Amino acid sequence: MEINQSIFKSYDIRGICPKELDEAAAFSIGRAFVRHTGAKKVAVGRDARLFSGELFKALSAGLFSMGAEIFDIGQVPTECLYFAVGFYDFDAGIMITASHNPKEYNGFKMIKKTGKEIEIIRGKDLLSSMESAEFKKGEEVKIEKKDIFKDYTNHILSFADLSQIMPLKAVADASNGVAGAVMSKIQDALPAEIIALNFTPDGNFPNHSPNPLLEGSAIQASDAVIKEKADFGVIFDGDADRIFLIDENGKMARADTVLLLMAKYFLEKNPGMAIAYNAICSKAVPEFIKKWGGAPVKTAVGFVNVREGLLKNNGIMGGELSGHYCFKDNFYMDSGMIAFLTLFLVISKENKKVSELIKDLSPYAKSPEMNFEIKDKDAVLNKIKEKYSGGKQDFLDGVTVEYNDWWFNVRPSNTEPLLRLTIEADTPEILKQKQKELSSFISSF
């Protein structure tokens, strides 16, 4: 059987179901996973996507055929899979999810445990272990169910001193993903009012995209914040590992500003520790981290890279613009729920409106990321390096050029013929000027 190799991505496995990723492919991936990792006890979770049940059965059959014990932790957020592998004696885990992708997609996020450390298995890592194998439906597969919710909720609640949370009102939009299952279990423990939106899991995502960053996705939550006169709102993506903050005026905050809100809280409790952030976060991030006595660690874009920066520098937490936030005491993995609880604590402690907190941490004018379709990405990057040779350049991820009153980053997409541009300036006027200048230059190729 020929498996579409395009589904093996830099960080995970992801494809359209069943056109690119079907049951036969899932069976072979299960076999390859055991072959690659040597896993004996594998925890498997799944999100609410339409094809997740079929993929679970086929993946489990592949794992079982290679001698692995399989433990079904049910329909859960991705962070529950991370917790299960970190907390119990499983030596590996697979989450069936396509995260924030459209409903047609599904896939696998994979990890293994070596000692006490969790390692992320990248999709491309499995290619060398793939081999053709026949999947036969109906063959007996032994699967043991494992209820992790009590231990998991105790774990995430341990991050928050609930006595310090004010009786705030918050809107929480689960995006018809799997966040609602956890929120329903922890909201009674919070001395606050949670207004639930889209808590029912539905793989059709009937109310809006599972990607909170897509235009229109946050309208429902924003409207609810204003209508209910809530103190703030949050919106999760499909598998609940990403979270976005909405202020009391219904405006979504940039994720690098939210990182700063949480970084200040964690540095007060853990003075001098490292905070990881990626190359396209605002320059306010390292500036404030240094001001608060922390050590900023800059990484390439991508959660895997932020986490690696956190691990190598013994950091306390990290985050990036996509809304992933990872924590040392959560096995260095990301958690939308821990971020949610931390925001409750921060907003309670600061006793300011969320819009005021965001303004205090946003001294610069920053553009959203812009995309340009470019066939020869390397050639254009070289032209940019030449044209802007007068600035301070680094090549951690694409090319970043810094001047006294502005900076920009241009980086190539790993999967598409695109260059991605981010610009930040001291004033909106300089930002507008440089946006026009760089957009014109890149578009000329």
Side-chain angles (χ1 to χ4, degrees):
M1 184 202 74
E2 193 71 26
I3 297 175
N4 188 331
Q5 294 199 359
S6 71
I7 67 175
F8 296 88
K9 309 295 184 182
S10 298
Y11 306 126
D12 56 17
I13 294 173
R14 216 173 285 193
I16 297 171
C17 289
K19 179 181 177 182
E20 297 172 340
L21 175 58
D22 60 10
E23 292 166 285
F27 176 77
S28 294
I29 288 167
R31 290 176 57 84
F33 181 78
V34 176
R35 195 176 293 115
H36 178 77
T37 63
K40 301 298 183 184
K41 299 178 72 174
V42 184
V44 183
R46 56 191 180 277
D47 68 8
R49 288 175 179 268
L50 300 176
F51 208 61
S52 288
E54 288 86 346
L55 290 181
F56 171 77
K57 292 176 184 177
L59 176 76
S60 297
L63 295 168
F64 187 73
S65 72
M66 294 295 288
E69 294 181 68
I70 303 146
F71 296 84
D72 175 14
I73 64 170
Q75 187 182 89
V76 294
T78 291
E79 64 186 70
C80 289
L81 187 277
Y82 301 153
F83 168 78
V85 174
F87 187 78
Y88 301 111
D89 64 345
F90 306 130
D91 50 20
I94 301 176
M95 180 69 188
I96 303 170
T97 180
S99 188
H100 58 278
N101 277 37
K103 68 177 184 179
E104 295 83 9
Y105 285 79
N106 215 321
F108 306 110
K109 292 181 179 179
M110 304 165 290
I111 57 174
K112 74 172 184 177
K113 184 166 62 179
T114 305
K116 292 184 178 181
E117 185 173 315
I118 291 177
E119 176 187 346
I120 295 174
I121 305 299
R122 298 170 184 254
K124 291 180 178 179
D125 292 345
L126 286 197
L127 279 172
S128 61
S129 300
M130 294 295 296
E131 64 176 21
S132 181
E134 184 181 358
F135 171 53
K136 296 179 181 179
K137 284 187 178 183
E139 290 193 351
E140 184 178 354
V141 177
K142 185 179 178 181
I143 300 173
E144 184 175 332
K145 290 189 179 293
K146 177 70 174 178
D147 185 354
I148 69 165
F149 265 107
K150 182 178 179 180
D151 290 331
Y152 162 71
T153 52
N154 286 340
H155 170 68
I156 60 173
L157 287 172
S158 73
F159 281 77
D161 181 349
L162 299 181
S163 69
Q164 299 301 309
I165 293 179
M166 301 288 287
L168 301 170
K169 182 188 288 189
V171 170
D173 186 348
S175 302
N176 292 114
V178 286
V182 177
M183 293 293 296
S184 297
K185 291 181 182 296
I186 68 170
Q187 63 182 354
D188 289 342
L190 300 178
E193 181 182 353
I194 305 296
I195 300 164
L197 292 181
N198 306 318
F199 270 31
T200 303
D202 187 337
N204 284 303
F205 304 109
N207 293 292
H208 59 75
S209 166
N211 183 356
L213 288 177
L214 278 190
E215 187 175 354
S217 292
I219 290 175
Q220 189 181 8
S222 296
D223 288 347
V225 168
I226 295 169
K227 180 182 176 182
E228 299 289 341
K229 297 181 180 178
D231 296 289
F232 69 99
V234 294
I235 179 170
F236 295 91
D237 71 342
D239 66 332
D241 61 353
R242 300 195 304 158
I243 184 174
F244 295 87
L245 175 65
I246 298 170
D247 72 16
E248 77 282 0
N249 300 313
K251 184 178 179 181
M252 186 184 286
R254 277 205 330 261
D256 50 359
T257 307
V258 177
L259 169 61
L260 282 174
L261 284 173
M262 290 191 278
K264 184 180 180 183
Y265 172 82
F266 276 93
L267 287 173
E268 287 172 351
K269 291 183 169 295
N270 306 272
M273 290 196 73
I275 305 288
Y277 69 101
N278 72 25
I280 58 172
C281 286
S282 170
K283 68 177 182 178
V285 172
E287 289 175 355
F288 277 107
I289 290 170
K290 289 177 183 176
K291 178 182 175 182
W292 298 328
V297 175
K298 185 178 179 180
T299 76
V301 175
F303 165 68
V304 171
N305 300 315
V306 173
R307 178 180 187 264
E308 190 173 307
L310 196 66
L311 268 167
K312 288 182 176 179
N313 294 277
N314 191 32
I316 188 65
M317 72 157 298
E320 60 170 1
L321 281 169
S322 65
H324 285 281
Y325 303 100
C326 50
F327 306 90
K328 177 183 180 179
D329 294 332
N330 188 53
F331 316 102
Y332 289 96
M333 300 303 289
D334 51 338
S335 168
M337 295 300 161
I338 293 171
F340 175 66
L341 291 170
T342 303
L343 288 171
F344 252 116
L345 289 167
V346 169
I347 295 165
S348 296
K349 179 178 181 294
E350 295 292 339
N351 199 24
K352 284 184 176 180
K353 291 182 177 180
V354 172
S355 61
E356 294 172 353
L357 294 173
I358 291 167
K359 185 178 180 181
D360 291 344
L361 299 175
S362 307
Y364 305 112
K366 192 165 185 282
S367 71
E369 192 170 66
M370 295 176 282
N371 295 315
F372 299 85
E373 191 166 331
I374 302 291
K375 288 184 179 180
D376 194 341
K377 293 180 282 190
D378 289 337
V380 177
L381 283 173
N382 286 331
K383 293 291 184 182
I384 290 170
K385 292 174 190 176
E386 292 173 12
K387 180 174 175 62
Y388 294 95
S389 58
K392 179 185 175 183
Q393 298 188 354
D394 83 56
F395 311 109
L396 175 65
D397 195 343
V399 57
T400 299
V401 185
E402 297 181 45
Y403 294 90
N404 288 334
D405 55 1
W406 73 290
W407 66 271
F408 72 91
N409 169 272
V410 181
R411 62 187 183 91
S413 165
N414 288 325
T415 57
E416 301 172 272
L418 297 176
L419 284 178
R420 308 189 190 278
L421 170 65
T422 300
I423 309 174
E424 184 174 64
D426 286 3
T427 67
E429 292 75 23
I430 297 173
L431 176 64
K432 185 176 180 180
Q433 175 193 341
K434 296 305 178 181
Q435 278 181 312
K436 183 177 180 181
E437 176 186 311
L438 269 158
S439 296
S440 177
F441 183 71
I442 296 172
S443 298
S444 68
F445 295 98

